[in-house]
Amino acid sequence: NADAAMYRAKSSGRNNYQFYEKEMNAMTGQRLALEHDLWSALENNEFFLNYQPQIDLESGRIIGVEALIRWLHPKRGLISPMDFIPLAEHNGLIIPIGNWVLQTACRQIKELHHSGLPPLRVAVNLSARQLGEKNFIPMVRETLHLTGIDPSCLELELTESMVMQNVEDVIDVLNALNDMQIQLSLDDFGTGFSSLAYLKRFPIDRLKIDQSFIFNCDSDPDDAIISQTIIALAHGLKIKVIAEGVERSEHMDFLKKNGCDEGQGYFIGRPLAFEDLRSLLYQRHLH
Ligand code: C2E
Ligand code: MG
Ligand code: MG
Ligand code: MG
């Protein structure tokens, strides 16, 4: 990345500087090209959603899915949201892209409800700019209305850094969403800087333990105690807790033993295309 290139450029003396300058310009160029292509991606239908199952750890039932955006670039192939969401946040395209994600997720989940499957919750990731947009609440209301999805089946994922900016305004927006019966969760919990005092003031329904604490929860005592403490904190506040990054059976054992409510991760299920999610749910439903 650019910082690393800059560091190498600085630490390797004048001779190499031009080379690194070129390398850095190339990277900036790539970023600009990607940003340029992002402008037309929506109208060219290059985005789609994957859905990753979330299970109730006690029963093993799929109780929800997280919608994860994918960009199939015509020339570069699949691009990770980690590479283009920051660009979209920077240039404001996150507003139309975020609206598209919400509408598509609600429409597809409603389609599953229609086909006779038990109601499933769908979690949609939000960016800070969306929450700060004046039109956000009316847009959400409109989406619920148009798709006919039960608002309690929709969950919006926030991060600690999002809710710590403009706290008073954010509380108003979150209260409005909560009044509409929409569920709210705190994503990547434990990795950001947040005041625990705010947990009391935010109408949060669920904490998502960040995957970095889960990876070694069965072997590293520090990660174990952090995970246990987040579970105890959530339950003390009478909210649910879900673990992300459940990759191995040892993670499952640890989480069940420690009373974690729900889990999500490659061991439970990879993010799936909509049609594959539908097939999985039918199979599970029939058995
Ligand atoms: P996130 O919301 O924390 O999503 C979880 C990420 O972890 C996903 O990566 C998922 O595929 C991955 N993951 C799931 N299970 C496992 C596991 O067992 N092990 C490991 N190592 N990883 C696992 P993905 O889909 O690449 O998304 C990355 C991030 O991009 C998301 O992190 C979220 O912050 C952002 N993102 C994705 N879709 C959207 C969207 O529609 N809107 C916004 N604003 N951000 C999005
Ligand atoms: Mg998320
Ligand atoms: Mg609520
Ligand atoms: Mg996360």
Side-chain angles (χ1 to χ4, degrees):
N1 71 23
D3 286 341
M6 178 67 91
Y7 176 78
R8 276 181 279 137
K10 278 185 178 156
S11 60
S12 59
R14 284 198 70 99
N15 272 354
N16 284 322
Y17 186 72
Q18 278 194 325
F19 170 75
Y20 288 115
E21 197 178 43
K22 259 190 207 155
E23 187 181 322
M24 276 168 44
N25 285 340
M27 278 187 297
T28 315
Q30 259 185 37
R31 207 185 127 102
L32 283 175
L34 206 61
E35 192 173 338
H36 173 266
D37 294 345
L38 204 51
W39 285 93
S40 49
L42 206 51
E43 56 188 282
N44 294 343
N45 282 314
E46 289 164 13
F47 295 118
F48 62 97
L49 296 181
N50 270 356
Y51 293 94
Q52 187 174 32
Q54 302 178 326
I55 61 166
D56 174 83
L57 287 172
E58 209 175 86
S59 68
R61 280 212 189 88
I62 299 175
I63 35 93
V65 289
E66 178 175 3
L68 296 160
I69 192 171
R70 300 288 178 257
W71 180 13
L72 187 58
H73 189 284
K75 291 205 190 74
R76 293 185 201 205
L78 211 52
I79 301 177
S80 158
M82 269 145 17
D83 294 326
F84 70 83
I85 292 289
L87 297 179
E89 284 172 346
H90 174 76
N91 66 17
L93 277 172
I94 192 64
I95 300 298
I97 294 173
N99 292 350
W100 178 86
V101 172
L102 185 72
Q103 286 157 14
T104 306
C106 289
R107 182 171 45 75
Q108 293 189 318
I109 291 311
K110 184 67 192 183
E111 204 179 309
L112 294 178
H113 294 177
H114 272 313
S115 50
L117 290 160
L120 193 70
R121 180 179 81 216
V122 63
V124 170
N125 293 282
L126 291 185
S127 290
R129 273 180 90 147
Q130 289 176 273
L131 211 58
E133 243 263 315
K134 276 190 203 66
N135 214 26
F136 183 64
I137 296 284
M139 188 278 296
V140 174
R141 232 187 228 111
E142 170 92 350
T143 304
L144 292 173
H145 178 73
L146 287 177
T147 57
I149 189 179
D150 179 345
S152 62
C153 288
L154 175 62
E155 177 170 280
L156 298 176
E157 294 196 0
L158 317 156
T159 59
E160 291 164 275
S161 62
M162 281 170 68
V163 296
M164 292 306 292
Q165 304 170 358
N166 310 316
V167 172
E168 296 309 316
D169 295 342
V170 165
I171 286 181
D172 288 343
V173 176
L174 299 189
N175 281 333
L177 295 167
N178 185 47
D179 289 346
M180 292 158 71
Q181 312 303 320
I182 292 168
Q183 300 193 47
L184 300 170
S185 66
L186 267 185
D187 202 357
D188 308 335
F189 187 75
T191 59
F193 296 95
S194 64
S195 159
L196 291 180
Y198 284 122
L199 278 182
K200 242 173 48 173
R201 296 187 59 201
F202 295 136
I204 295 292
D205 297 286
R206 188 172 279 97
L207 296 184
K208 296 193 79 174
I209 308 175
D210 188 65
Q211 49 191 43
S212 61
F213 303 121
I214 302 302
F215 290 153
N216 297 312
C217 67
D218 55 323
S219 56
D220 182 333
D222 292 342
D223 290 329
I225 194 75
I226 290 172
S227 304
Q228 287 163 335
T229 302
I230 296 176
I231 295 168
L233 174 68
H235 288 164
L237 293 169
K238 304 206 163 47
I239 62 186
K240 296 274 186 189
V241 58
I242 179 167
E244 296 189 87
V246 181
E247 289 191 352
R248 292 184 281 115
S249 64
E250 289 86 350
H251 296 157
M252 288 283 277
D253 297 341
F254 174 90
L255 293 164
K256 281 188 196 166
K257 201 176 80 194
N258 287 285
C260 187
D261 302 300
E262 299 166 1
Q264 174 182 350
Y266 297 162
F267 183 78
I268 294 163
R270 298 249 164 193
L272 299 169
F274 178 64
E275 288 311 324
D276 295 331
L277 172 71
R278 189 206 297 269
S279 317
L280 175 73
L281 292 171
Y282 270 125
Q283 270 173 28
R284 292 275 187 116
H285 189 56
L286 293 174
H287 290 118

